[in-house]
């Protein structure tokens, strides 16, 4: 859904640029509360992983493909503020290095693909967690639904921006129907990728999933919460004990009634299996290096190898633009002569090698820039904590 230069007129592009800049500024402050020593490098990895998976266009209909947007995945794994920054870094690297998404349309793309998807997805995700049973599988289901909803939401947001500043005279109703229709299908693919990724991390390191951190706390409260008292035995005259639940005091020197006891409700076996273990207070934090290494390896594999087999069909926005005529005033990208334009390395004739190398370079560049940003944000939080202390 990368919007190229020329789709949206200058006033709306400038306005969305201001909105995107304000959103990024707010998220830079908000990310300080989300990032700790482990989350900062992991956030850079999430950005690199999203870049890699976005190269894997999958077919969704005749002559149409789709790819991951990544807002839901980033928000759930590293938090909504950091998630907006992750997708923004990806869009910046794609626009500058690979001529994917217009530079004058960068504000449109950040507003649509980073802000809208992340906010909508995280809102849906949190709502489901509050309403559904407090289990690990709920996190995976909520991830699926949140990602599914976020993609057509972004399509609707684009339609709204096009209604305000579209450069071609096209019936907005037709654009809305086509955009939402195809992006519902793309949303299914997004949901599957998001749920599989979140589920995989939950299986090995649930403590690294930002959106599931309070699941462990609430499950622990359910397992070891306030005592549940059994009904008090009836008194000698057949009436219930005062209060209806507490046992009457035993006379001095006598044994307390065997039936008057306090018990703690035990979870069912299947609930105990689903419970996310909480670390003991003061326990050393487990290293995330293995997860980081596996994630980086997966990103390099997707970008460097699997991307060669991605669908060559136009994505949802490109297909709708061609069919409905909203691409009449598309402008050439300012970075069209970039050595990495169109996800290939210039002067390398072998398509497999050229695309794979470009993907690996993109993963490395996104990882470096993203990690640098998040480490700086983390250090500013540490400095602020030190000053407060």
């Amino acid at each position: 859904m990368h919007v190229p230069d020329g789709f949206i007129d200058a006033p709306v592009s400038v306005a969305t640029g201001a909105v995107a800049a304000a959103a990024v500024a707010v998220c830079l402050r908000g990310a300080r509360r989300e990032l700790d020593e482990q989350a900062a490098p992991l956030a850079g990895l999430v950005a690199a992983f999203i870049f890699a998976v976005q190269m894997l266009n999958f077919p969704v209909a005749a002559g149409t493909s789709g790819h991951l947007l990544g807002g839901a995945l980033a928000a759930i794994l590293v938090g909504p503020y950091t998630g907006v920054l992750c997708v923004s870094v990806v869009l910046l690297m794609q626009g500058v290095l690979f001529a994917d998404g217009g530079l004058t349309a960068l504000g449109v793309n950040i507003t649509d693909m980073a802000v809208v998807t992340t906010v909508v997805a995280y809102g849906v995700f949190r709502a489901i967690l509050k309403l559904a049973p407090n289990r690990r599988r709920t996190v995976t289901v909520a991830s699926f639904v949140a990602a599914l909803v976020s993609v057509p939401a972004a399509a609707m947001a684009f339609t709204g921006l096009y209604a305000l500043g579209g450069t071609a005279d096209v019936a907005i109703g037709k654009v809305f129907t086509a955009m939402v229709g195809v992006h519902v299908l793309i949303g299914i693919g997004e949901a599957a990728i998001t749920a599989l990724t979140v589920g995989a991390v939950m299986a090995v390191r649930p403590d690294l999933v930002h959106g599931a951190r309070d699941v462990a706390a609430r499950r622990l409260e359910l397992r070891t919460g306030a005592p549940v008292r059994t009904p008090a035995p009836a008194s000698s005259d057949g009436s219930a004990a005062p209060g209806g639940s507490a046992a009457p005091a035993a006379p001095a020197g006598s044994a307390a009634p065997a039936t008057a006891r306090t018990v703690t409700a035990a979870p069912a076996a299947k609930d105990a299996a689903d419970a996310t273990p909480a670390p003991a207070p003061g326990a050393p934090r487990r290293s995330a290096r293995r997860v980081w290494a596996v994630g980086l390896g997966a990103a390099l594999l997707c970008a460097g190898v699997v991307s060669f087999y991605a669908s060559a069909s136009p994505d949802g926005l490109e297909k709708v633009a061609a069919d409905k005529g909203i691409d009449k005033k598309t402008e050439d990208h300012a970075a069209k002569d970039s050595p990495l334009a169109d996800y290939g390395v210039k002067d390398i004739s072998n398509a497999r090698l050229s695309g794979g190398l470009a993907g690996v370079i993109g993963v490395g560049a996104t990882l470096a820039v993203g990690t640098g940003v998040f480490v700086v944000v983390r250090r500013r939080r540490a400095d602020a904590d030190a000053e407060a202390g």
Side-chain angles (χ1 to χ4, degrees), residues 286-318:
R286 296 167 59 192
S287 172
R289 291 181 180 178
R290 181 173 298 180
V291 173
W292 193 92
V294 172
L296 179 59
L300 292 173
L301 179 64
C302 289
V305 179
V306 183
S307 62
F308 180 77
Y309 303 98
S311 173
S313 300
D315 68 15
L317 176 58
E318 292 173 332

Side-chain angles (χ1 to χ4, degrees), residues 7-8 18 23 144 273 294 299 327 336 355 365 367 378:
F7 271 29
I8 307 294
F144 185 95
V294 172
D327 60 350
K336 66 177 182 177
L367 178 65
R378 165 61 189 164

Side-chain angles (χ1 to χ4, degrees), residues 24-382:
V24 169
V26 169
C27 290
L28 284 170
R29 293 182 63 85
R32 297 181 191 178
R33 299 191 296 271
E34 296 174 343
L35 295 171
D36 54 25
E37 294 87 348
Q38 291 190 138
L42 284 175
L45 175 62
V46 168
F49 184 79
I50 291 173
F51 173 90
V53 180
Q54 281 196 4
M55 295 181 66
L56 308 182
N57 280 44
F58 48 85
V60 295
T64 310
S65 70
H67 62 74
L68 182 80
L69 298 184
L73 179 62
I76 295 166
L77 289 180
V78 293
Y81 293 106
T82 308
V84 170
L85 298 178
C86 283
V87 182
S88 298
V89 167
V90 172
L91 294 171
L92 178 63
M93 302 306 295
Q94 290 170 332
V96 172
L97 296 180
F98 298 92
D100 189 9
L103 295 182
T104 62
L106 184 60
V108 174
N109 285 320
I110 289 177
T111 300
D112 192 25
M113 295 177 63
V115 178
V116 172
T117 59
T118 301
V119 171
V120 171
Y122 200 70
V124 173
F125 177 80
R126 297 303 305 173
I128 294 175
L129 287 190
K130 288 182 179 180
L131 298 174
N134 193 10
R135 302 172 183 171
R136 282 190 189 180
R137 65 172 67 94
T138 303
V139 175
T140 304
V141 173
S143 301
F144 185 95
V145 177
L148 177 63
V149 173
S150 70
V151 178
M156 288 187 282
F158 168 79
T159 305
L161 292 174
Y162 196 82
L164 293 174
T167 56
D169 186 13
V170 180
I172 296 302
K174 294 182 179 180
V175 175
F176 178 87
T177 302
M179 284 292 292
V180 174
V182 71
H183 283 90
V184 166
L185 299 178
I186 294 174
I188 297 173
E190 174 109 6
I193 295 171
T194 301
L196 287 172
T197 304
V198 172
V201 179
M202 285 290 296
V204 294
R205 289 294 302 273
D207 57 302
L208 297 180
V209 179
H210 180 278
R213 286 181 177 178
D214 63 341
V215 172
R218 287 187 291 177
R219 284 297 303 156
L220 186 61
E221 183 179 352
L222 289 175
R223 297 178 66 184
T224 62
V228 179
R229 298 177 183 269
T230 57
S235 60
S236 58
D237 61 359
S239 62
S245 60
S254 64
T259 55
R261 65 184 185 276
T262 299
V263 298
T264 301
K270 64 177 181 179
D271 289 346
D274 284 336
T276 304
R285 302 189 67 174
R286 296 167 59 192
S287 172
R289 291 181 180 178
R290 181 173 298 180
V291 173
W292 193 92
V294 172
L296 179 59
L300 292 173
L301 179 64
C302 289
V305 179
V306 183
S307 62
F308 180 77
Y309 303 98
S311 173
S313 300
D315 68 15
L317 176 58
E318 292 173 332
K319 179 65 173 175
V320 172
D323 290 347
K324 304 302 178 183
I326 66 177
D327 60 350
K328 295 178 181 178
K329 296 186 178 181
T330 304
E331 301 173 0
D332 289 337
H333 199 286
K336 66 177 182 177
D337 296 324
S338 165
L340 299 173
D342 297 324
Y343 297 93
V345 178
K346 192 175 182 179
D347 298 331
I348 295 182
S349 57
N350 186 292
R352 186 190 298 268
L353 178 60
S354 176
L357 184 57
V360 170
I361 293 172
V363 167
T366 305
L367 178 65
V369 173
T371 302
V373 168
F374 298 125
V375 168
V376 169
V377 172
R378 165 61 189 164
R379 286 179 179 173
R380 294 193 65 177
R381 170 187 168 180

